Amino acid sequence: MEIDLDALESNLATIRVLGGRGTRVAPVLKADAYGHGLEACARVLQQAGATMLCVATLDEAFLARSAGVRVPLLVLFPIPPDAVHDAAEARLEVVVTDMDGAGELLSAWGRGRARQDGTTLRVHLEIETGLQRGGVSEDAAADAARTIAAAPGVELAGVWSHLASPGDAAFSAGQEGSLRRALAAIEEAGLPRPAVHLSATGGLFAGTGAAHDLVRPGLALYGELPDDLPIGESARAAAAALRPVMRLVARPLRVAQVDPGTPVGYGGRWTASQPSLIATVPVGYGDGYARGTQPGAEALVRGRRVAIVGSVAMDALAIDVTEVPGVSTDDEVVLLGAQGDERITASELARRRTTIAWEVLAGMAHRIPRVYHRASGPTSVRTLAGEFLVRDGAT
């Protein structure tokens, strides 16, 4: 897997301009940075000026810290209450999504205050506006905010929600209104206005969610947009400027001639109808290339589309390269990304699997080596053995 760090930086810059002056960009790096590799992506985005990064779990946040990330990290899902002091000491910002959870978190925080180390716990209060996944109601927002702000050593750092259907302008407007009413109630309660955030990729590019103080781009950061998202007029130039970050490539293990009538792969689901040249590629569903991609899936070889034939196995798949002269084990096979004038996108693979681009990217297995590069060449490699920096062409 090749990860283009220049493209990642470029996408961040594009999103920053789209968000508008004064809006902070907090890239989302959950699920191993959508399959791209959390550690390297986090460091690059920090260098590129991201003022905050978002993850889903406490473990992801600690991994980012161990990789050298120093900017604020927001954990988007609730953490175990007994981990609250470790989180605060690591300068992680946490969320409260309901009053029971808030009580448990603040109680755990209070029990550990004997240390009196001066650490502040920064909490973001989630408002339920329509996604029905988490958050307090707008009617309960002021009481929840008061409870958080009154706890010793605790700061109400944010109020936020998440758009359920960013392509639906009317529904998104309803969510925006609910969040604004909750915020107004908090301000009427005499509390300082915290940072407000709602929009992610969908709201930004459809123009259905206000940028507020902070935006949390995910998919667009990696150069992809949802197939069915209506792009707002003001976002069309930004959408066109996005560059895919991930490219999945391999070289054949074998290129062999098979006779007509020869079955290929487990179960013999495909049989050669003519003398055929079949290349075995060492990528399979164990790497995140799902069996459900077939039938009709293709790869790129020498800038041409070729059919993936037979069953996708755990560690291998087969491609029919009969019509591409001269293919050998030295050739590059592209399963995701561009080669010549052709490109296979995450959205194309998603359509074949009846899923979404997010799942295609995030489903890439940890065992696939990630080679991080810029225009000047490779910068690091991540394998199951760990991460290795590239210096003068060597790791």
Side-chain angles (χ1 to χ4, degrees):
M1 187 182 295
E2 298 175 352
I3 305 298
D4 185 344
L5 299 179
D6 289 335
L8 185 66
E9 278 194 4
S10 173
N11 294 340
L12 175 62
T14 295
I15 292 166
R16 183 179 284 122
V17 171
L18 182 60
R21 182 175 297 179
T23 297
R24 292 181 293 158
V25 180
V28 178
L29 293 164
K30 61 185 181 179
D32 199 28
Y34 288 43
H36 293 70
L38 185 149
E39 305 99 307
C41 291
R43 287 195 300 267
V44 166
L45 292 167
Q46 174 179 252
Q47 280 184 327
T51 53
M52 174 181 279
L53 301 174
C54 299
V55 294
T57 70
L58 196 57
D59 284 350
E60 290 174 334
F62 287 143
L63 178 61
R65 283 284 183 252
S66 70
V69 172
R70 296 292 172 259
V71 296
L73 286 164
L74 173 61
V75 184
L76 293 169
F77 279 72
I79 69 168
D82 59 5
V84 66
H85 281 277
D86 290 336
E89 287 169 4
R91 294 186 299 109
L92 308 182
E93 304 191 13
V94 302
V95 303
V96 161
T97 64
D98 61 72
M99 288 308 296
D100 289 342
E104 293 175 4
L105 188 78
L106 296 176
S107 293
W109 175 253
R111 288 194 298 272
R113 287 293 293 165
R115 283 186 270 183
Q116 294 294 325
D117 56 6
T119 303
T120 297
L121 177 66
R122 290 173 57 84
V123 176
H124 292 241
L125 175 63
E126 183 177 8
I127 310 299
E128 174 53 74
T129 63
L131 183 59
Q132 303 304 329
R133 187 169 70 185
V136 303
S137 69
E138 61 179 82
D139 294 336
D143 286 342
R146 268 193 296 258
T147 299
I148 294 166
V154 178
E155 178 185 348
L156 179 63
V159 172
W160 68 290
S161 192
H162 193 62
L163 295 177
S165 302
D168 185 330
F171 194 85
S172 297
Q175 289 192 260
E176 174 76 37
S178 182
L179 180 62
R180 288 184 182 276
R181 289 190 294 273
L183 181 62
I186 290 169
E187 291 177 321
E188 287 170 8
L191 297 172
R193 184 184 187 278
V196 180
H197 47 110
L198 173 67
S199 279
T201 289
L204 276 170
F205 282 84
T208 53
H212 293 290
D213 305 299
L214 187 73
V215 293
R216 309 182 307 267
L219 190 65
L221 188 71
Y222 307 104
E224 303 282 347
L225 289 173
D227 260 358
D228 57 352
L229 184 71
I231 306 301
E233 185 174 349
S234 62
R236 287 175 188 165
L242 294 177
R243 295 161 52 190
V245 175
M246 179 187 291
R247 189 169 178 263
L248 180 61
V249 303
R251 298 191 189 280
L253 296 173
R254 185 185 85 151
V255 180
Q257 192 78 34
V258 301
D259 296 328
T262 302
V264 172
Y266 286 120
R269 295 173 61 190
W270 183 87
T271 301
S273 61
Q274 61 179 355
S276 300
L277 193 63
I278 304 299
T280 303
V281 181
V283 176
Y285 61 78
D287 302 296
Y289 195 89
R291 285 171 62 91
T293 308
Q294 295 176 283
E298 295 174 314
L300 304 179
V301 180
R302 298 194 174 190
R304 295 174 61 175
R305 285 179 174 259
V306 298
I308 295 174
V309 297
S311 301
V312 175
M314 184 179 291
D315 310 298
L317 53 81
I319 58 175
D320 182 357
V321 294
T322 307
E323 303 302 322
V324 186
V327 174
S328 74
T329 54
D330 291 329
D331 275 286
E332 177 189 72
V333 176
V334 177
L335 296 167
L336 173 66
Q339 188 185 65
D341 295 331
E342 289 283 355
R343 179 182 293 277
I344 294 173
T345 66
S347 291
E348 176 183 335
L349 294 180
R351 287 192 294 272
R352 295 199 179 280
R353 301 176 192 178
T354 63
T355 184
I356 56 177
W358 290 264
E359 186 175 1
V360 170
L361 299 178
M364 294 295 177
H366 196 83
R367 76 172 182 175
I368 303 176
R370 271 89 170 152
V371 178
Y372 298 93
H373 67 90
R374 294 184 179 275
S376 58
T379 60
S380 64
V381 177
R382 193 190 81 179
T383 71
L384 286 178
E387 187 180 15
F388 308 92
L389 300 180
V390 175
R391 294 186 179 90
D392 299 324
T395 56

